[in-house]
Amino acid sequence: MTGRRPLVLHPERLFPADRSTRAVALELHQVVASLPLLSPHGHTEARWFADDAALSDPTSVLVTPDHYLTRMLYSQGVALEALGVEPNDGVATADPRTAWRTFAAHYGLFRATPSGLWFDHVLAEVFGVRDRLDGESADDVYDHIADALRRPEFLPRAFLDRFDIELLATTESPLDDLDAHGRLAREGWAGRVITTFRPDPVVDPGATGFTENVERLGQLTGEDTAKWTGYLGALRNRRQFFIGHGAVATDHGHPSAVTADLAPEQCQRLLDGARAGTLTAQQQELFRGQLLVEMARMSIDDGLVMQLHAGSRRNHNPLVFQRFGPDRGADIPGPIEYTQSLKPLLDLYGNDSRLRLIVFTLDEATFSRELAPLAGHYPCLVLGPPWWFLDSYEAMLRYRRTVTETAGFANTAGFNDDTRALFSIPARHDVARRADCSYLAELVVTHRLELDDAHDLAVDLATGLVRHAYRLGPAR
Ligand SMILES: [Zn+2]
């Protein structure tokens, strides 16, 4: 294919192929298309909004940090260095423009993928690019975006305003000083860009630098973190600090959903072993499992909503991990079990509606077999939206089809964009809203749902369920 090809987002994209269902989906979408965006879980950086400075070049903003993109090119033989990802062995990386050309020349790899849908949306809607991206248009598109990034309307705060992003949560370690959030609060942004308490670095004995992290946790809080009670006191203390900086939730990225309810002496022994680095893999799992129960107990006291993101086999490719570190697209989902794993936690707090535990999975089989039945029964449980590899049009439809008959809509948490790619946030919500409206339209045309109820549900799925699940309070 040669010559410029226009980039056009079809207004009816992602709606059902069948004409009558499509008409209902369109009607529902009109109700939700302009509702504000709520982003209660994600990985953008607070300092972007605190500094509110121009983001750098198109490649560093849109390509290099996006592991959804880099993994696909890597799978097709493109070196990560060629996309600007820096290795730790001093091998030179491509400059931004060269990396962009490489990306553009391979852009066809993303046909019919979520990344392709999102990226086209970013180009067309956010940056006003009029040509489809390919090797030929690469330089012009690069210049267009580079120019835009220097303009005030592309500064991070202006971007939140322009796309009506009402709430954006970042995710920080308990060891973070939350300086950026402090600055945001002083400038009137409290409650709009908020933090999330992610304790993995101090509760996962397998985390890099765990022993030093626990030591540091003690220094920050004045607690003796070598003692089980001091260690818990320190965690409680940091949760309060995070609440003071706007946190409404915690987030736990565990390999499994294992929970445990052990005696204090056993907890102390595990903590000793974790600090000494002597725990077996199974003991590490038990330790993390005990911490989930401790976090649930603390949540009942301080009201933070718990999120459990379980099942990612992180850094599956040792070579990539050694050279480039984590979050480079080498994380792979694995099978996961919830019903037995969560039982110790549910036996203690499953019936307590002061606890809200939002559970995510990368293992779709568990939606129908375990998660929808669990969330359709236990008052504390809510189902998170399709996550990561499942954050796609097809998986969203499968999710609704799989869980709705058992868990209804009210036991689901609405959408999370869960992204580190700031400019893709509107695109991700757009796909989710279109998928949800398509599903509701199917229910309407098969007379399983009345049209007026579908209107209400469309709003719930877009914003209402998120407000409820994360205890955000009513709309502005
Ligand atoms: Zn996340």
Side-chain angles (χ1 to χ4, degrees):
M1 189 94 203
T2 54
R4 293 301 170 85
R5 300 170 300 159
L7 173 62
V8 180
L9 303 185
H10 196 287
E12 298 183 10
R13 62 191 178 279
L14 303 178
F15 291 139
D18 164 71
R19 223 175 240 267
S20 55
T21 322
R22 169 171 290 230
V24 178
L26 261 165
E27 176 182 333
L28 295 173
H29 186 252
Q30 275 163 12
V31 178
V32 300
S34 61
L35 290 177
L37 306 184
L38 295 161
S39 180
H41 175 69
H43 301 277
T44 56
E45 294 192 30
R47 66 180 166 80
W48 296 343
F49 309 100
D51 298 344
D52 203 32
L55 297 171
S56 57
D57 61 272
T59 307
S60 313
V61 170
L62 299 177
V63 179
T64 307
D66 190 336
H67 55 73
Y68 290 69
L69 299 177
T70 56
R71 72 191 309 275
M72 175 66 97
L73 274 75
Y74 186 80
S75 78
Q76 287 290 309
V78 178
L80 293 177
E81 298 92 314
L83 301 167
V85 184
E86 222 169 296
N88 55 22
D89 54 13
V91 171
T93 55
D95 65 86
R97 184 179 289 273
T98 307
W100 179 268
R101 286 177 183 153
T102 302
F103 171 67
H106 290 83
Y107 191 60
L109 294 173
F110 297 101
R111 288 172 182 143
T113 66
S115 292
L117 276 175
W118 298 331
F119 209 86
D120 278 349
H121 191 286
V122 170
L123 292 176
E125 291 286 304
V126 177
F127 290 102
V129 170
R130 295 284 162 251
D131 291 320
R132 284 167 68 181
L133 183 62
D134 54 28
E136 197 174 324
S137 65
D139 276 323
D140 284 350
V141 173
Y142 185 94
D143 291 335
H144 179 102
I145 296 172
D147 176 58
L149 287 171
R150 287 190 285 267
R151 298 208 302 268
E153 63 265 34
F154 288 88
L155 294 179
R157 292 183 189 180
F159 178 77
L160 296 187
D161 283 339
R162 184 177 154 204
F163 287 95
D164 201 11
I165 300 173
E166 181 183 317
L167 172 99
L168 181 75
T170 64
T171 303
E172 274 85 25
S173 154
L175 305 178
D176 197 293
D177 64 10
L178 301 185
D179 165 66
H181 287 281
R183 286 190 280 142
L184 280 162
R186 286 192 291 279
E187 291 173 31
W189 282 71
R192 179 120 182 241
V193 178
I194 64 173
T195 183
T196 302
F197 183 76
R198 174 127 174 182
D200 300 356
V202 296
V203 304
D204 177 6
T208 314
F210 174 80
T211 308
E212 299 77 53
N213 295 345
V214 171
E215 189 103 342
R216 177 95 190 100
L217 179 67
Q219 289 160 3
L220 283 173
T221 56
E223 295 277 359
D224 179 3
T225 50
K227 298 276 189 310
W228 179 246
T229 48
Y231 172 66
L232 294 184
L235 287 167
R236 216 173 278 121
N237 177 309
R238 290 312 278 174
R239 290 170 65 107
Q240 284 306 321
F241 181 71
F242 272 61
I243 291 169
H245 288 76
V248 298
T250 67
D251 182 32
H252 309 275
H254 287 207
S256 79
V258 163
T259 62
D261 179 24
L262 308 171
E265 313 79 65
Q266 200 178 350
C267 295
Q268 181 64 56
R269 278 198 298 279
L270 284 172
L271 177 61
D272 294 343
R275 290 177 54 249
T278 58
L279 296 187
T280 64
Q282 202 190 354
Q283 288 169 323
Q284 289 190 5
E285 182 141 277
L286 205 55
F287 186 82
R288 286 189 296 264
Q290 179 67 32
L291 261 300
L292 282 181
V293 164
E294 301 297 343
M295 290 291 122
R297 234 190 302 275
M298 291 182 203
S299 276
I300 286 172
D301 289 340
D302 64 24
L304 288 179
V305 172
M306 272 182 95
Q307 303 172 96
L308 175 60
H309 285 90
S312 176
R313 277 35 171 185
R314 294 189 190 261
N315 309 314
H316 192 268
N317 183 335
L319 183 75
V320 165
F321 181 61
Q322 280 154 25
R323 291 196 66 223
F324 298 97
D327 303 323
R328 298 306 185 190
D331 306 324
I332 309 289
I336 184 158
E337 196 282 335
Y338 291 91
T339 309
Q340 284 308 314
S341 299
L342 288 176
K343 194 160 171 31
L345 186 151
L346 294 174
D347 284 351
L348 287 165
Y349 304 120
N351 301 294
D352 192 331
S353 50
R354 289 175 301 170
L355 175 65
R356 183 156 301 146
L357 172 56
I358 305 176
V359 183
F360 298 77
T361 195
L362 294 174
D363 181 355
E364 280 189 281
T366 64
F367 276 134
S368 56
R369 189 180 60 231
E370 302 187 64
L371 290 176
L374 284 165
H377 171 68
Y378 282 103
C380 79
L381 278 183
V382 181
L383 287 186
W387 169 42
W388 198 341
F389 293 93
L390 306 177
D391 183 1
S392 74
Y393 174 74
E394 294 286 349
M396 286 173 190
L397 289 179
R398 290 198 298 271
Y399 168 79
R400 290 288 172 209
R401 291 199 175 105
T402 304
V403 309
T404 303
E405 290 172 320
T406 306
F409 292 100
N411 287 306
T412 63
F415 181 63
N416 286 180
D417 56 70
D418 197 358
T419 187
R420 57 195 77 229
L422 173 65
F423 292 119
S424 79
I425 290 174
R428 290 167 188 246
H429 287 261
D430 181 63
V431 172
R433 287 177 184 189
R434 286 169 188 270
D436 281 336
C437 289
S438 297
Y439 176 66
L440 293 172
E442 280 179 26
L443 296 181
V444 171
V445 298
T446 50
H447 303 289
R448 287 177 285 170
L449 182 69
E450 295 295 341
L451 185 59
D452 57 348
D453 286 341
H455 276 248
D456 292 346
L457 280 170
V459 174
D460 278 349
L461 298 188
T463 55
L465 289 171
V466 171
R467 290 188 205 284
H468 179 74
Y470 289 86
R471 298 174 169 156
L472 298 178
R476 277 178 311 210

